[in-house]
Amino acid sequence: MGRIEWVFYLLIPASILIHVFVAPYTKVEESFNIQAIHDILIHGIPNENAEQFFTANYDHISFPGSVPRTFAGALILSGLSRPWIWLVRSPQQLQLLVRSVLGLLNAAALVYFGQGVQRAFGRSAAVWYALFQSSQFHIIYYASRTLPNMFAFVFSTIALKGILDAHSNQFKPGSAARSYRLSLYLLTFAGVVFRSELAILVGTLTIYLLATRPISIPKVIIPAGLGGLVMGLLCTIPIDSYFWQSFPLWPEWIAFYYNTIEGHSADWGTSPWHFYLINALPRLLLNPLTYLLCVPVALVNPVSRQRSLDLLIPLLSFVGLYSFLPHKEWRFVIYVIPGLTAVAAAGAAWISTRSAKSGAYKLLTVGLIGSIVLSFAASTALLGISSLNYPGGEALTTLHHQLPHPEGRPLRVYLDNLACQTGVTRFLEVHNGPQTVMDVLEAQDFANHKSWGYSKTEDPEVLLDPRFWDNFDYVLAERPEKVIGSWEVVHTVYGFSGISFLRPGEGLGKGSTTDENAAAHYTDRVAAVWATLEEKLRYPLLRGYWVKLNMQPKIRILARRPIGI
């Protein structure tokens, strides 16, 4: 492969790492895996007295969730991150390292799939694929986030490459069958271990192959399905039975039974049947020309039609079948985006290679380039906005590093529900005394000289007991009026609360926060950048129209008021 493709491919890992460092905190959906990774890295895995060890040190015992989740992804990511610990100097940086490793795994899978795009559709398509993919916000933003879907995404993306490779190797005896077998195997494995919805994709791909290819069921379908099932069970059951201290335990089956068969997924909300097609997929693809122009062109073009259908039919059938479930989230169908992007890239390549022959194609090519520039701009804006959604992480970091603390005695902090949902993780906590893998890091951390304790209890009866609040020096609270006792607000963290569309003459031109005195440090920097953009772009370029970021107080840091005040 020529070097030019790699110049564009490198945009994918570079974009992912930028997103990691601009938005370093996590949300509640990522909580189980990020806490599990922390516990494995910090406390290690016990050789004996496992139940007592987990109870004393592991987060999942105190906060098990509605159903158990697999430790397989956390264990793998912990192992891959451990050799690089020497690069970081604090637990907070270790969280960034862990997320970077996962992001680079997904980047490698996306680049690997891009090589399949190059073989199937040509070099020009590979370049367009890299540009489309790296400018899609959701894929790049979530590639480093420890959602179960993003662990499964590594396997599903590699599996999609097998579909493209099979078409490229159709004239090599047995090669196509091996590619299909590997694809089905990887999807089955990922479905068994990480996300059960991939079983539907296995089904749609299997049916499509049986209907369109001379596929041997005994040599391809059964070995792939049985192999993926057995290897997946051999991976998840021993690992999760040990960590959850319950044998035999298959977490993904329990989650499937609870959410789908018993119907509890609807408890999290329902969406209309067309949500994925009308809402989720356009948002995930971001660039409207990919699905309005490029995909239709790839289907019209005889050269790319069959290879495009090989991706589109099973992927869109998966989305269609999954639409029957009432609870819908975009992350449930994120696995189809690389395939749809590949087809769009094939259409874009067909247009761009004809730009020298026709003014119409030249105009379309310029339009595609412009749409990618706009997609990068939109992704950058979304990144800035999304980084404002983690007031809990910002508040705990501010408490540790930027507020004065009394010396000579232990400090106790209560973390309320919103703080825990918007950024607080065990990586951000300050530990006292010797740990395991973090001994060296903690020795260099200023806060090792203080003893910190944390509580995240949600028991309503406990929270109504005044004696409970007497145990704390600080509280991170969304609603200070619910905190019992004599407290004072020492810091307020602001968070994103929506946008306002301004017309010419509207707004004060003071920046993008609702309050000039918004005290959050990171949000101040984002507000300053937004204000600079407003100055440069609003009237000179956009004729007075602008988008204002609205900020509201989210987390208050409360300190105990001294007696007598």
Side-chain angles (χ1 to χ4, degrees):
M1 180 179 293
R3 293 181 180 179
I4 185 63
E5 291 86 357
W6 284 99
V7 173
F8 291 95
Y9 283 147
L10 288 177
L11 288 172
I12 296 175
S15 298
I16 289 173
L17 291 179
I18 290 172
H19 283 62
V20 170
F21 287 94
V22 172
Y25 301 117
T26 63
K27 275 200 173 180
V28 64
E29 296 87 353
E30 308 158 57
S31 177
F32 172 78
N33 278 305
I34 200 69
Q35 305 288 46
I37 293 166
H38 168 276
D39 295 341
I40 293 170
L41 282 174
I42 299 298
H43 301 295
I45 302 173
N47 295 320
E48 55 185 18
N49 299 323
E51 186 172 356
Q52 294 88 338
F53 186 90
F54 290 143
T55 301
N57 297 293
Y58 273 54
D59 185 78
H60 73 289
I61 301 298
S62 302
F63 300 94
S66 55
V67 293
R69 308 304 307 186
T70 182
F71 272 82
L75 191 62
I76 293 170
L77 196 54
S78 299
L80 293 175
S81 302
R82 186 176 293 272
W84 308 101
I85 286 177
W86 61 273
L87 291 172
V88 303
R89 297 177 63 84
S90 70
Q92 294 86 352
Q93 292 179 6
L94 182 57
Q95 177 170 297
L96 293 178
L97 171 66
V98 167
R99 286 189 52 208
S100 297
V101 171
L102 177 59
L104 291 176
L105 284 175
N106 274 306
L110 289 169
V111 171
Y112 183 66
F113 179 74
Q115 294 177 305
V117 174
Q118 191 271 336
R119 293 187 65 191
F121 298 114
R123 284 187 174 182
S124 179
V127 172
W128 284 105
Y129 162 80
L131 290 171
F132 285 145
Q133 193 72 79
S134 57
S135 62
Q136 290 170 355
F137 170 73
H138 285 82
I139 293 287
I140 301 301
Y141 187 78
Y142 284 91
S144 65
R145 299 193 169 274
T146 55
L147 296 163
N149 311 78
M150 300 319 298
F151 289 104
F153 188 79
V154 178
F155 294 91
S156 66
T157 304
I158 296 173
L160 290 182
K161 181 177 182 291
I163 300 175
L164 294 177
D165 287 347
H167 198 284
S168 302
N169 297 329
Q170 59 182 321
F171 299 110
K172 298 180 181 179
S175 294
R178 286 193 294 270
S179 296
Y180 290 135
R181 185 164 55 241
L182 178 61
S183 295
L184 293 172
Y185 170 83
L186 291 173
L187 289 173
T188 303
F189 177 87
V192 169
V193 178
F194 297 111
R195 291 300 305 183
S196 58
E197 66 259 18
L198 285 173
I200 301 176
L201 182 54
V202 172
T204 59
L205 179 57
T206 299
I207 293 172
Y208 178 76
L209 292 177
L210 290 174
T212 61
R213 300 289 190 277
I215 296 296
S216 170
I217 295 179
K219 293 182 179 180
V220 176
I221 305 300
I222 293 178
L226 190 60
L229 174 64
V230 171
M231 292 304 297
L233 292 176
L234 288 177
C235 173
T236 185
I237 290 179
I239 291 174
D240 295 309
S241 297
Y242 178 73
F243 279 99
W244 288 98
Q245 290 292 289
S246 175
F247 185 86
L249 181 67
W250 179 8
E252 201 51 34
W253 164 254
I254 295 176
F256 171 78
Y257 188 87
Y258 178 85
N259 289 317
T260 304
I261 297 179
E262 293 186 342
H264 288 288
S265 64
D267 297 342
W268 303 100
T270 61
S271 301
W273 66 269
H274 53 73
F275 171 80
Y276 289 132
L277 293 175
I278 303 300
N279 187 305
L281 292 184
R283 275 199 297 157
L284 291 170
L285 289 167
L286 188 60
N287 187 338
L289 290 187
T290 56
Y291 51 88
L292 295 178
L293 173 64
C294 297
V295 170
V297 167
L299 293 175
V300 170
N301 178 18
V303 176
S304 59
R305 180 185 301 139
Q306 187 57 55
R307 277 163 282 191
S308 299
L309 291 173
D310 289 346
L311 289 171
L312 290 178
I313 291 178
L315 293 179
L316 294 181
S317 297
F318 159 71
V319 174
L321 290 174
Y322 208 58
S323 296
F324 284 100
L325 294 180
H327 177 60
K328 299 176 178 66
E329 295 183 37
W330 60 260
R331 60 190 176 95
F332 296 160
V333 297
I334 197 171
Y335 322 105
V336 309
I337 298 304
L340 300 185
T341 304
V343 176
W350 192 81
I351 293 172
S352 63
T353 53
R354 285 155 179 78
S355 60
K357 301 178 181 180
S358 167
Y361 287 121
K362 187 174 183 177
L363 183 62
L364 288 174
T365 301
V366 172
L368 286 172
I369 295 173
S371 72
I372 290 174
V373 173
L374 291 176
S375 293
F376 272 113
S379 292
T380 302
L382 289 171
L383 172 59
I385 293 172
S386 298
S387 69
L388 305 177
N389 284 318
Y390 302 90
E394 187 74 25
L396 189 57
T397 300
T398 299
L399 172 63
H400 286 152
H401 297 272
Q402 299 183 31
L403 295 183
H405 310 294
E407 299 287 349
R409 64 182 179 84
L411 300 175
R412 293 275 295 168
V413 183
Y414 176 74
L415 309 167
D416 81 349
N417 184 263
L418 181 62
C420 294
Q421 289 188 4
T422 58
V424 169
T425 69
R426 286 189 157 193
F427 281 110
L428 302 187
E429 296 176 359
V430 174
H431 303 281
N432 184 55
Q435 296 290 306
T436 53
V437 72
M438 296 301 293
D439 286 349
V440 176
L441 300 182
E442 290 292 341
Q444 301 175 42
D445 196 303
F446 85 99
N448 194 45
H449 301 294
K450 301 183 178 71
S451 176
W452 294 79
Y454 305 87
S455 175
K456 298 183 286 186
T457 184
E458 298 175 334
D459 189 328
E461 294 185 4
V462 172
L463 297 178
L464 291 175
D465 185 352
R467 292 172 297 179
F468 170 77
W469 297 101
D470 290 340
N471 296 319
F472 300 104
D473 302 281
Y474 296 97
V475 175
L476 270 58
E478 177 186 13
R479 300 178 63 182
E481 66 272 14
K482 290 190 172 184
V483 180
I484 300 173
S486 180
W487 302 85
E488 61 178 331
V489 177
V490 295
H491 189 82
T492 301
V493 175
Y494 283 64
F496 178 68
S497 64
I499 60 176
S500 299
F501 292 96
L502 302 181
R503 295 183 178 182
E506 294 181 337
L508 301 177
K510 297 290 187 180
S512 32
T513 60
T514 55
D515 185 345
E516 289 185 69
N517 297 315
H521 300 79
Y522 185 81
T523 54
D524 281 345
R525 295 195 294 271
V526 174
V529 171
W530 207 264
T532 301
L533 290 174
E534 181 178 1
E535 180 182 352
K536 300 293 185 183
L537 300 179
R538 183 177 179 183
Y539 283 97
L541 184 63
L542 300 177
R543 298 183 179 182
Y545 293 94
W546 190 245
V547 176
K548 178 183 179 182
L549 304 186
N550 299 316
M551 305 294 295
Q552 288 184 353
K554 296 292 185 179
I555 303 289
R556 278 83 169 182
I557 302 178
L558 309 181
R560 181 170 296 282
R561 193 186 303 273
I563 297 176
I565 298 180

